[in-house]
Amino acid sequence: MFEGLSDRLGGVLDKLRKRGALKESDVKEAMREVRVALLEADVALPVVKTFISNATERAIGADVLRSVTPGQMVVKIVHDELKNMLGEGEEINLASTPPVPILMVGLQGSGKTTSSAKIALHLTKKRNKKVLLASLDIYRPAAQQQLKVLADDNGLGILPIVMGEKPVSIAKRAMDMGRKEGYDAVILDTAGRLHIDMELMSEVAQVRDAVNPVETLLVTDAMTGQDSVNVAKEFAEKVGITGIVLTRVDGDARGGAALSMRQITGCPIKMLGVGEKIDEMEAFHPDRIANRILGMGDVVSLVEKAAENIKAEDAEKMAKKLRKGQFDLNDLLSQLKQLQNMGDLSGIMGMLPGMGALKKQMSQTKLDPKLLTHQEAIILSMTPKERENPALIKASRKKRIAAGCGLSVQDVNKLLKQYQTMSTMIKKMGKMGKKGLFGGMPKMDPAMLEGGDMPDLNNLPKGLTGSGGGLPPGFPGLGGGGGMPPGFPGFGKKK
């Protein structure tokens, strides 16, 4: 959603980074371009004015213009102002006597019912809470059944449906069931309308008065742009909301709604719907969003995603094999499955710092989104012996494998060539691990480095290279025993 804005801001700030010194006119020119970029991204005009005013005032200060790296200082200021614009990241508040009532409100078609189930699953998995879902939507056909199916498919609690019951009665029954059966939270999915009307507001207000919710979350669609900000203002004034859930953030809409929401409504964005799957709901982190917009990546989210999808035992087992230089097609299959579980490649690359240009190149080359699925199908068409020993795969076997997975022999050859390259590299790493990272290099004469400022690498603290350090034990030539391998006597030692 933020790609267009990210590209524009990246271009403007790159120009500043390349300059050794900045004049006030340079900063003002850059800020004019930033203003245009924000307006094109559909950010509300009052928000843009405040942003530019604050950023310019800080950027033309004496400390910045006289700084050693003025361009980097301006980038930091823009980053800080983006964070201020997005507001503080707040989690869904469950600090109350259980069961905590959470009221979901919004217009029809914004994704309330699906978001209710997503939030319930998020609270269950990430915060270890027992959550009950209840549908108060008695108007839309099969709305209550939809929530029931989502709950049943994902092992979530659901209030039994009683036909003809009114929303306020359903809400009271849900709270009663939550108390009796020991639920931590009750999510009440209210009915939506095509337009904001007094009937909708009156019904939501009645439910609010009946259950006194700790959280009233407005679900709004990021694709509707500034209209979603107007909807949020209307609900905030007439019903009172404590937070916003922004859906369809993975779409190609401009990101102005997300950037304007906090400043205009005064309500924090609490959750982001980042995909169609039930588990694709994330907590809102302003600093991470600001990093992504400025092309700095989001390594924290990437690590969290990897931790969710990769088991520690599997990773340790794989690390042991790689240290021995062993790698077969079963291992490649395991890696492909883990990568698929983490989401699409472009999404993963977007979280890596400085990968914006490469991501753009990938989109231009029209990389097949089913590439990983096809590679998995090729490996699954092989026999267990062929996976363990790919050298067995000759022409006749390639034809059989291609026929089995519905792809061409060329596709099979591509995969085998890719595997061969990876296998060769891993074997080299395995050999390096046995004799140390620089084991194959000749010994260096200490006299060559006399008077140098580099530390003695043979006496580095264990915190860097040993088992207690940041690198894992057994990392080639660095982990396990600690210190650098023999052969570097007095490297950089002063007399």
Side-chain angles (χ1 to χ4, degrees):
M1 188 171 78
F2 298 108
E3 273 182 19
L5 178 60
S6 182
D7 290 345
R8 286 294 303 270
L9 288 181
V12 174
L13 297 173
D14 279 346
K15 289 178 193 172
L16 292 181
R17 281 194 191 100
K18 289 171 186 171
R19 297 189 182 183
L22 288 181
K23 292 182 277 188
E24 192 174 320
S25 58
D26 296 332
V27 174
K28 287 186 174 177
E29 175 61 33
M31 287 303 164
R32 268 195 293 274
E33 291 184 45
V34 170
R35 182 192 290 117
V36 172
L38 290 171
L39 290 171
E40 283 184 355
D42 203 24
V43 180
L45 183 60
V47 178
V48 175
K49 282 182 175 176
T50 306
F51 178 93
I52 295 298
S53 170
N54 294 345
T56 305
E57 190 179 329
R58 288 180 61 191
I60 60 176
D63 294 342
V64 174
L65 296 179
R66 291 176 190 168
S67 135
V68 180
T69 55
Q72 293 288 5
M73 291 287 281
V74 173
V75 172
K76 184 187 180 302
I77 288 166
V78 171
H79 179 268
D80 291 346
E81 289 303 322
L82 273 174
K83 276 174 63 179
N84 292 340
M85 186 196 291
L86 289 162
E88 292 294 321
E90 294 181 25
E91 285 196 332
I92 291 174
N93 180 19
L94 298 177
S96 184
T97 308
V100 176
I102 299 171
L103 193 63
M104 306 291 287
V105 300
L107 299 184
Q108 206 174 72
S110 57
K112 268 193 319 306
T113 302
T114 311
S115 295
S116 298
K118 284 181 173 183
I119 290 171
L121 189 66
H122 177 86
L123 294 176
T124 303
K125 283 189 171 180
K126 300 285 176 71
R127 296 175 66 179
N128 201 26
K129 300 295 181 185
K130 189 180 177 185
V131 184
L132 176 68
L133 285 162
S135 176
L136 278 59
D137 190 350
I138 59 173
Y139 308 103
R140 181 165 65 87
Q144 292 178 310
Q145 285 77 3
Q146 181 192 354
L147 191 62
K148 185 180 186 307
V149 169
L150 288 168
D152 291 343
D153 287 351
N154 295 281
L156 302 167
I158 184 73
L159 183 75
I161 299 168
V162 175
M163 300 307 292
E165 195 175 14
K166 295 292 181 188
V168 175
S169 303
I170 298 171
K172 287 178 179 175
R173 184 162 61 90
M175 293 304 297
D176 191 44
M177 181 177 167
R179 277 187 286 272
K180 287 177 180 174
E181 299 189 16
Y183 283 94
D184 296 304
V186 176
I187 296 178
L188 303 167
D189 175 30
T190 64
R193 294 287 187 281
L194 292 175
H195 301 283
I196 293 173
D197 55 31
M198 291 315 295
E199 190 183 346
L200 165 67
M201 294 302 182
S202 171
E203 184 179 281
V204 171
Q206 285 173 26
V207 174
R208 178 198 64 199
D209 295 342
V211 299
N212 194 21
V214 172
E215 288 275 23
T216 303
L217 301 177
L218 172 68
V219 182
T220 183
D221 186 349
M223 302 282 278
T224 56
Q226 284 304 308
D227 193 45
S228 61
V229 180
N230 298 331
V231 169
K233 272 176 72 179
E234 195 82 20
F235 270 94
E237 289 166 9
K238 294 184 178 173
V239 178
I241 56 176
T242 58
I244 293 161
V245 178
L246 209 56
T247 61
R248 296 182 194 168
V249 173
D250 56 322
D252 57 359
R254 294 172 293 177
L259 295 171
S260 311
M261 200 72 80
R262 175 62 189 249
Q263 296 285 330
I264 299 288
T265 64
C267 294
I269 299 173
K270 297 208 170 182
M271 304 293 291
L272 295 176
V274 294
E276 292 181 5
K277 292 179 184 172
I278 191 76
D279 59 348
E280 292 181 321
M281 177 69 77
E282 292 179 0
F284 180 72
H285 299 284
D287 51 339
R288 300 185 194 179
I289 296 290
N291 285 347
R292 286 192 207 183
I293 291 172
L294 294 180
M296 297 174 184
D298 184 1
V299 177
V300 179
S301 292
L302 184 60
V303 170
E304 284 176 359
K305 198 181 265 275
E308 284 171 23
N309 291 287
I310 300 169
K311 292 179 182 172
E313 315 88 76
D314 295 344
E316 185 60 35
K317 203 186 292 179
M318 179 65 76
K320 281 181 183 174
K321 287 190 76 175
L322 295 182
R323 282 199 287 268
K324 291 176 185 173
Q326 297 170 355
F327 186 73
D328 59 25
L329 285 167
N330 284 320
D331 299 320
L332 180 58
L333 179 64
S334 167
Q335 298 292 307
L336 290 172
K337 283 181 176 174
Q338 287 174 359
L339 201 54
Q340 280 179 293
N341 289 341
M342 285 177 66
D344 67 306
L345 281 174
S346 62
I348 293 168
M349 290 184 73
M351 293 182 183
L352 294 169
M355 294 298 276
L358 187 57
K359 189 178 168 187
K360 197 182 285 183
Q361 284 175 12
M362 279 180 66
S363 62
Q364 286 169 354
T365 53
K366 294 180 181 174
L367 187 72
D368 184 3
K370 292 185 179 176
L371 178 66
L372 297 180
T373 313
H374 288 169
Q375 290 184 334
E376 187 182 338
I378 292 169
I379 298 173
L380 290 173
S381 296
M382 299 174 186
T383 64
K385 280 189 178 179
E386 286 168 346
R387 288 181 220 168
E388 288 168 13
N389 185 12
L392 295 172
I393 303 172
K394 305 299 179 189
S396 60
R397 290 183 185 242
K398 286 177 185 176
K399 283 181 186 175
R400 192 205 76 240
I401 292 164
C405 63
L407 296 165
S408 66
V409 173
Q410 285 91 333
D411 292 323
V412 178
N413 285 333
K414 274 182 197 170
L415 176 81
L416 290 172
K417 190 175 180 183
Q418 179 187 329
Y419 161 74
Q420 198 59 51
T421 307
M422 292 172 73
S423 180
T424 305
M425 186 179 71
I426 286 161
K427 279 174 185 169
K428 282 181 183 174
M429 285 173 65
K431 288 175 185 173
M432 283 161 62
K434 285 173 190 170
K435 43 181 165 174
L437 190 61
F438 303 100
M441 291 179 68
K443 288 189 179 183
M444 298 178 71
D445 184 357
M448 291 169 66
L449 296 159
E450 282 181 3
D453 290 324
M454 291 188 72
D456 179 4
L457 295 185
N458 288 315
N459 293 312
L460 280 173
K462 289 283 179 91
L464 288 176
T465 55
S467 56
L471 287 166
F475 193 84
L478 294 175
M484 295 296 283
F488 273 20
F491 186 60
K493 236 184 192 177
K494 289 185 182 179
K495 270 189 175 180

